[in-house]
Amino acid sequence: GHVKQELKQGVVQLASLVAECPSCLESAKVYDLLRAVPGYGPVKANKLLSACRISPIKTLAGLTARQRRELTQALER
């Protein structure tokens, strides 16, 4: 959808999407969103997810509070 376009263009930051978890993105896979961010290929996306102990098939709504916090922090680095 258009969110991935916005991520690609840097209009929106994934960290803020993860923190807010807008209802339109609840079913979006975290991995797919990561891949839309410039500079994140499959390897880098998987590394970040495993560093935060998040399964690649997790949806945005399915993240625990800890996962959400860790992912937000990792993305802001």
Side-chain angles (χ1 to χ4, degrees):
H2 67 280
V3 173
K4 287 183 185 170
Q5 270 316 111
E6 291 177 348
L7 283 169
K8 276 194 176 73
Q9 295 158 357
V11 180
V12 294
Q13 297 302 313
L14 185 52
S16 59
L17 293 181
V18 171
E20 292 161 22
C21 188
S23 53
C24 62
L25 284 181
E26 282 178 358
S27 62
K29 288 191 174 58
V30 181
Y31 175 82
D32 293 342
L33 293 172
L34 260 181
R35 290 283 287 108
V37 177
Y40 275 90
V43 175
K44 193 173 176 186
N46 277 315
K47 266 196 185 136
L48 180 67
L49 289 178
S50 64
C52 296
R53 300 190 300 267
I54 297 170
S55 158
I57 59 168
K58 271 277 190 193
T59 61
L60 205 50
L63 293 174
T64 65
R66 176 195 62 79
Q67 290 173 327
R68 198 175 298 282
R69 194 173 56 245
E70 283 185 18
L71 185 58
T72 305
Q73 287 169 346
L75 288 165
E76 285 172 342
R77 259 179 227 130

